[in-house]
Amino acid sequence: MGKYFGTDGVRGIANQHPMTAEMALAIGRATAFVLKQGHTGLNRILVGKDTRLSGYMLENALTSGICSMGVNVLLTGPLPTPGIAYLTRSMRCVAGIVISASHNPFEDNGIKIFSSKGFKLSDALEAQIESYLDSGTLSLTPPPADQIGRARRIDDAAGRYIEFCKTTFPAEYTLEGMRIVLDCSNGASYAVAPTIFSELGAEVITIHAEPDGTNINNRCGSQYTEDLRRKVVECGADIGLAFDGDADRLISVDEKGNEVSGDHTIAICAKSMLETGALRNKTVILTPMSNLGLRLVLEKMGIRWLDAGVGDRLVLELMQKEGASLGGEQSGHVIFLDKHTTGDGIVSALQLLEAMKRSGRKLSELASIFREAPQRLINIDVAEKPPLSSLPNVSSAIAAAEQELGKNGRVLVRYSGTQKLCRVMVEAAEEEPVNRLATAIANEITKAIGVNRA
């Protein structure tokens, strides 16, 4: 990670460094300068956002910075992050920029950048952009007044993305007769998601689709499925679909009101894709957070799995290297590389619905494909992120847990790349050591650097 760019762009508390209007202007200038070099496409950058109040401030500052470097701006307004990735590619832009902090609370915001091909930027390009952020050298070489960029709003951005999503669902199927509950997390999917599923024939019931600038991800969406689970049972729905604030994640709920994780989505879709020949190289890319049960069922089906690092960009890089068409994370960020260049919650939902339609089975039946090994994940708010190896008591607690579990479990302790959190994950064949060892490690981290435990 760089000085400003983390695992998913630049992120922080809105109106505090680095998420200030001044910084957004600088990022706009640097991005325009770096990415227009040698680019043969159209001289424009696409800018979209989620529903956070601070998006207005950052959008205007970014636009000013980009235009000041002689590059035009196309504004989409609120649109899912994967929608920006798609439109950047289809409209042949120099780059696409999303103003969003994804699943974070509304106080946070972020800026993430896609290349002209719809992929998240490489470390090398992010490093080039960072090199200009503190130097101030770009202010010395502005284009003349008659070459300043223009900005305009794209009125049909949502419609273009809606049509794209629908093309990822097989034409031989419809959603006729299905009742679907959508939880839009008061985020970027609030306008497009209901249209997509209803136009494919489903009866759609929507909750948490009234953003007010401050309620994004507030006890709703992919991280908090209580309301969705309740609504699915109450309405007798076939499935519930929960997206996060920028709609690149999906967590589902079966017809009985049980949550279906990203790991289960991967297993269900891997089986369906294997049967249809769409699982390229019979390979699925996972992360160290993926459940042991998922790994075992993939092996049973004759599917090779490989671990990337944590984070969707690392998953994508390994997918491209291995020629895989499916990969993702337990959190619900799943990439169908033959469908899209990035994780897309709506596209993931459509692939899951395809598996249901193709098999003729309910989601609860499909989700029984494997039993999750007991796993405990604890998030600890931290004031700083010193190397874990520099904390003797923490290192000792981790070593003791690893020694006790041996080959019958796993311990993973890491800092979040997007929040001030330390994540402790312990997995084993039995519940008791999982809870005990995860709590012991979390307690030592809290004593050393913690603020409080979430």
Side-chain angles (χ1 to χ4, degrees):
M1 292 189 291
K3 179 178 179 181
Y4 299 113
F5 283 91
T7 57
D8 199 20
V10 183
R11 197 172 292 190
I13 298 174
N15 231 18
Q16 296 183 25
H17 186 76
M19 279 294 103
T20 61
E22 293 81 2
M23 188 66 169
L25 186 143
I27 291 173
R29 300 185 77 175
T31 300
F33 180 78
V34 169
L35 295 185
K36 73 176 182 179
Q37 304 300 317
H39 187 75
T40 57
L42 298 173
N43 186 40
R44 57 194 186 191
I45 289 177
L46 193 76
V47 176
K49 60 182 180 180
D50 64 22
T51 58
R52 294 165 209 270
L53 179 62
S54 56
Y56 294 100
M57 171 188 74
L58 297 172
E59 178 185 58
N60 283 302
L62 265 173
T63 299
S64 294
I66 295 166
C67 289
S68 74
M69 298 308 295
V71 177
N72 299 321
V73 176
L74 301 178
L75 298 165
T76 70
L79 197 70
T81 287
I84 301 302
Y86 165 70
L87 288 173
T88 298
R89 185 176 80 250
S90 71
M91 298 188 73
R92 302 184 181 185
C93 297
V94 172
I97 301 179
V98 184
I99 304 165
S100 174
S102 191
H103 56 280
N104 287 26
F106 97 91
E107 296 91 347
D108 291 352
N109 216 327
I111 294 173
K112 42 190 168 184
I113 307 168
F114 289 97
S115 73
S116 60
K117 295 183 179 179
F119 293 105
K120 290 183 179 177
L121 291 191
S122 65
D123 289 339
L125 282 173
E126 288 184 347
Q128 285 186 49
I129 292 170
E130 281 197 348
S131 70
Y132 291 106
L133 294 182
D134 292 328
S135 67
T137 54
L138 293 181
S139 62
L140 303 177
T141 56
D146 62 347
Q147 294 180 24
I148 291 172
R150 304 170 187 265
R152 68 180 177 88
R153 199 160 292 277
I154 311 174
D155 295 329
D156 63 344
R160 289 172 182 245
Y161 175 60
I162 286 168
E163 290 305 310
F164 161 72
C165 288
K166 287 159 56 180
T167 65
T168 70
F169 188 73
E172 64 265 30
Y173 297 122
T174 74
L175 300 180
E176 291 281 349
M178 292 195 76
R179 180 175 293 169
I180 299 176
V181 182
L182 302 179
D183 182 341
C184 297
S185 202
N186 294 313
S189 67
Y190 80 98
V192 297
T195 301
I196 290 166
F197 294 97
S198 62
E199 287 190 359
L200 288 170
E203 177 189 348
V204 174
I205 299 162
T206 307
I207 62 174
H208 300 301
E210 298 178 351
D212 64 9
T214 63
N215 61 0
I216 186 171
N217 299 321
N218 185 14
R219 306 301 301 182
C220 59
S222 61
Q223 290 184 291
Y224 303 98
T225 60
E226 293 87 351
D227 289 351
L228 180 61
R229 299 202 310 264
R230 190 181 309 113
K231 194 70 173 179
V232 165
V233 174
E234 174 189 311
C235 296
D238 297 285
I239 190 174
L241 304 170
F243 309 112
D244 65 334
D246 70 336
D248 62 357
R249 297 186 184 197
L250 166 74
I251 295 294
S252 303
V253 170
D254 70 23
E255 77 284 356
K256 297 179 181 178
N258 300 310
E259 186 175 296
V260 178
S261 72
D263 279 351
H264 278 93
T265 297
I266 292 170
I268 293 166
C269 291
K271 182 176 186 295
S272 181
M273 292 168 69
L274 182 66
E275 292 170 350
T276 61
L279 190 68
R280 283 197 277 121
N281 293 326
K282 294 184 179 180
T283 297
V284 173
I285 305 302
L286 309 177
T287 79
M289 303 297 288
S290 301
N291 192 271
L292 175 63
L294 172 59
R295 302 167 193 273
L296 294 176
V297 76
L298 291 176
E299 291 175 3
K300 186 177 180 180
M301 290 189 287
I303 297 172
R304 181 177 69 135
W305 59 265
L306 296 170
D307 269 348
V310 177
D312 65 287
R313 190 171 66 173
L314 296 179
V315 171
L316 175 63
E317 288 175 0
L318 190 54
M319 288 177 70
Q320 292 173 312
K321 179 181 177 182
E322 298 294 331
S325 52
L326 176 63
E329 301 180 278
Q330 187 183 61
S331 62
H333 201 133
V334 183
I335 301 172
F336 295 85
L337 197 50
D338 288 344
K339 306 291 184 182
H340 205 343
T341 57
T342 189
D344 186 322
I346 294 173
V347 170
S348 295
L350 292 171
Q351 309 319 299
L352 185 60
L353 287 163
E354 177 187 343
M356 292 174 65
K357 284 289 183 178
R358 191 178 297 280
S359 67
R361 301 174 68 191
K362 297 178 179 180
L363 183 56
S364 63
E365 296 171 334
L366 293 179
S368 67
I369 188 170
F370 77 88
R371 175 182 172 271
E372 287 186 327
Q375 188 182 88
R376 178 79 186 277
L377 176 64
I378 301 177
N379 293 324
I380 305 108
D381 292 331
V382 294
E384 54 184 342
K385 297 180 180 180
L388 294 170
S389 58
S390 69
L391 308 173
N393 291 344
V394 173
S395 297
S396 296
I398 294 172
E402 290 175 335
Q403 183 175 1
E404 179 178 336
L405 293 175
K407 296 181 179 180
N408 297 316
R410 298 187 300 139
V411 178
L412 179 65
V413 183
R414 54 175 285 271
Y415 292 115
S416 167
T418 59
Q419 295 171 278
K420 288 187 175 180
L421 294 175
C422 185
R423 305 191 193 279
V424 177
M425 189 276 284
V426 177
E427 183 180 71
E430 302 296 333
E431 193 80 39
E432 187 276 330
V434 167
N435 291 322
R436 174 170 50 81
L437 296 174
T439 300
I441 296 170
N443 286 341
E444 293 299 336
I445 293 172
T446 300
K447 290 176 188 176
I449 54 173
V451 178
N452 58 65
R453 194 182 314 159

